Amino acid sequence: MDDCIFCKIVKGEIPCSKVYEDNHVIAFLDIAPASKGHTLIVPKEHYEIIPNVPNALLEKTIDVVKKIGCALLKENDGFNVMQNNRKAAEQLVPHVHFHVIPRNNGDGLDVAKWKSSKYAEGEMEEMLAKLKDNMR
Ligand code: 5GP
Ligand code: ZN
């Protein structure tokens, strides 16, 4: 993808603060972090969203998510893993990536907070049936 910012980072055309790199995956600091140490883990090959990524590559990518999470836990109380698919889910860069966001007790960050809702009578069963059907 010629105009993809993360492809340009992978190719070294745009600089990044590289935390980790192997043949398949790169990890670098997010330029606008939710908290200090916020890292993006990116498969080098361009895929837009999770369903497009071959399982073997996804596994390699998650291995790096785990590596970074472990490293961040040496200096922080916890971390969030976030991963957005498509604009509706607030994906800004259309090259699949995982956010690993360091968290600390009482940091007050709004990451991973949503206003919870309720199912109407029978709606949960309907949802369950539909989802299971779509998994076939
Ligand atoms: P998304 O909303 O697509 O899940 O997140 C994209 C992330 O990429 C954002 O957190 C944003 O700060 C980060 N980002 C966008 N452009 C660049 C860049 O050129 N360099 C780095 N290091 N991060 C970027
Ligand atoms: Zn790309």
Side-chain angles (χ1 to χ4, degrees):
M1 283 286 286
D2 288 348
D3 59 349
C4 170
I5 198 149
F6 286 177
C7 281
K8 285 183 180 164
I9 288 176
V10 167
K11 285 187 253 166
E13 291 170 11
I14 292 180
C16 73
S17 300
K18 198 186 297 173
V19 180
Y20 175 87
E21 181 175 26
D22 61 32
N23 288 339
H24 305 281
V25 183
I26 188 169
F28 50 87
L29 295 181
D30 195 296
I31 207 167
S35 63
K36 305 293 162 63
H38 179 165
T39 303
L40 300 174
I41 293 89
V42 182
K44 287 184 170 180
E45 205 170 329
H46 183 96
Y47 294 100
E48 189 170 344
I49 54 173
I50 286 230
N52 305 139
V53 184
N55 286 356
L57 180 55
L58 198 53
E59 195 177 321
K60 289 183 170 81
T61 309
I62 291 293
D63 281 350
V64 181
V65 168
K66 182 175 173 181
K67 244 187 246 298
I68 303 293
C70 287
L72 288 172
L73 279 184
K74 293 185 179 173
E75 301 282 337
N76 299 275
D77 297 326
F79 64 91
N80 293 111
V81 177
M82 304 266 299
Q83 202 283 318
N84 305 325
N85 296 275
R86 296 203 174 146
K87 272 198 186 125
E90 291 166 41
Q91 181 180 15
L92 297 175
V93 177
H95 179 137
V96 78
H97 55 279
F98 289 79
H99 297 255
V100 177
I101 302 172
R103 297 299 306 272
N104 285 287
N105 295 324
D107 64 16
L109 279 188
D110 240 353
V111 176
K113 287 265 165 63
W114 57 84
K115 197 167 157 274
S116 47
S117 63
K118 281 201 169 84
Y119 286 108
E121 182 80 27
E123 204 180 7
M124 200 172 189
E125 292 74 12
E126 210 178 287
M127 188 68 238
L128 183 63
K130 227 186 273 180
L131 189 51
K132 286 169 86 171
D133 197 36
N134 287 336
M135 283 174 74
R136 279 202 229 131

